[in-house]
Amino acid sequence: MTAYEVAVRAAASLGEGPTWDPAAGRLIWVDVLGSRVHTYDPATGRRTVRTTDQHVGAAKPRAGSGLVLNLRDGVGLLDPDDTFRWLHHEPVPGRRANDAAVAPDGSLWAGTMRYDEAAGGGTLSRLTADGAVETVLPSVAVSNGIGWSPDGNRLYYVDSPTRRVDVFDLDGERAVNRRPLAEIEEGAGFPDGLTVDAEGCVWVALWDGGAVRRYTPDGDLDRVLLLPAPRTTACAFGGPDLTDLYITTARTGLDRPHPVSGSLLVVPGAGKGLPQPAFAG
């Protein structure tokens, strides 16, 4: 078992989307099915919890302060004074938001999925600060981890039921030449959220695998973090030096969840992350 700490002891149903906010010196993460946005300041231990009006797939910092939220019915902007407005409103019965990430150019790449996880029921879209939307992938099942290589020339992506981490080349704003980077073998869990480190390696959390794996840019597995919570969901580097790996976990669907299931975990000094851009809107 990997040496880890419990950063925030919680009982999140579906903890997801850890993101380091360097401007505020805090980690942002969500409980998707609990409709909650959490923040945690490791320097002071201060925590906040905000309830959203609907299921929230991701929350990311904005360049102008506040948060951009990937919600069940679309993408919205939350100001520091709690004023909310829709940036893109597109409710689809039976569908909800899932993971999202901010690209180097400040756009938001936001995923969706059906509650029943039906194949082809989800999407991956790119949203700009003015609310313009472009569909990147029109037909996925469970849109999950999204990340970019340090030079911005590659996009990494997970559609969980495929059991793959895929890689695209980026041609301007277009993702092309999709191919597998790594395949998760049967019995090892399903790929979920991911992050890319300063060496260009991809760290991916394994749902029902109780682990986070690190793959090189060539797709070679070179490190495995084993954790007691079977439903590890996503990971991100944080802290002032971006060397601590924060890992979200889930309790949903477990008859006997581990005591740390639903908590925010951290592996200090796990590696070196990349600074994450804020959404331009």
Side-chain angles (χ1 to χ4, degrees):
M1 193 66 63
T2 301
Y4 72 93
E5 299 173 4
V6 179
V8 175
R9 189 167 295 277
S13 178
L14 182 53
E16 272 283 6
T19 302
W20 181 252
D21 180 355
R26 65 181 184 176
L27 192 91
I28 303 166
W29 58 289
V30 302
D31 179 357
V32 179
L33 300 180
S35 302
R36 290 179 173 87
V37 176
H38 297 255
T39 70
Y40 167 65
D41 182 340
T44 65
R46 183 174 185 268
R47 299 168 50 191
T48 69
V49 182
R50 187 191 191 281
T51 301
T52 56
D53 290 336
Q54 51 186 248
H55 291 160
V56 54
K60 307 295 177 182
R62 294 161 54 197
S65 74
L67 299 173
V68 58
L69 305 177
N70 195 25
L71 294 162
R72 183 194 65 200
D73 293 343
V75 173
L77 302 178
L78 183 67
D79 292 334
D81 64 0
D82 277 354
T83 300
F84 175 84
R85 62 189 183 279
W86 288 106
L87 179 68
H88 175 69
H89 192 223
E90 188 186 1
V92 176
R95 193 180 78 176
R96 69 165 174 86
N98 210 42
D99 208 351
V102 179
D105 66 0
S107 61
L108 182 75
W109 293 52
T112 64
M113 58 177 283
R114 287 191 56 83
Y115 281 96
D116 62 8
E117 302 184 10
T123 61
L124 177 66
S125 300
R126 176 181 179 271
L127 292 88
T128 54
D130 59 2
V133 181
E134 174 192 1
T135 301
V136 179
L137 297 174
S139 178
V140 301
V142 181
S143 187
N144 251 315
I146 309 159
W148 288 264
S149 60
D151 61 10
N153 291 329
R154 282 178 147 199
L155 170 73
Y156 299 101
Y157 177 70
V158 167
D159 180 2
S160 291
T162 67
R163 290 187 180 274
R164 299 194 312 267
V165 179
D166 287 344
V167 57
F168 296 76
D169 296 318
L170 289 172
D171 179 10
E173 298 170 355
R174 297 187 310 120
V176 298
N177 191 26
R178 182 177 184 173
R179 60 216 182 264
L181 175 79
E183 298 193 25
I184 309 304
E185 67 274 16
E186 189 80 26
F190 293 85
D192 201 327
L194 65 79
T195 193
V196 181
D197 67 20
E199 297 179 347
C201 296
V202 179
W203 300 68
V204 58
L206 299 184
W207 173 273
D208 281 343
V212 175
R213 289 184 175 184
R214 181 186 192 248
Y215 290 92
T216 70
D218 294 326
D220 296 325
L221 176 62
D222 73 347
R223 190 173 177 190
V224 179
L225 307 182
L226 298 177
L227 299 158
R231 295 196 158 169
T232 46
T233 59
C235 54
F237 284 96
D241 299 322
L242 296 177
T243 56
D244 301 329
L245 188 70
Y246 287 90
I247 302 161
T248 47
T249 64
R251 297 175 67 86
T252 185
L254 296 174
D255 292 333
R256 299 179 64 185
H258 188 274
V260 301
S261 291
S263 295
L264 175 68
L265 310 181
V266 61
V267 178
K272 177 68 172 180
L274 290 169
Q276 296 300 297
F279 178 58

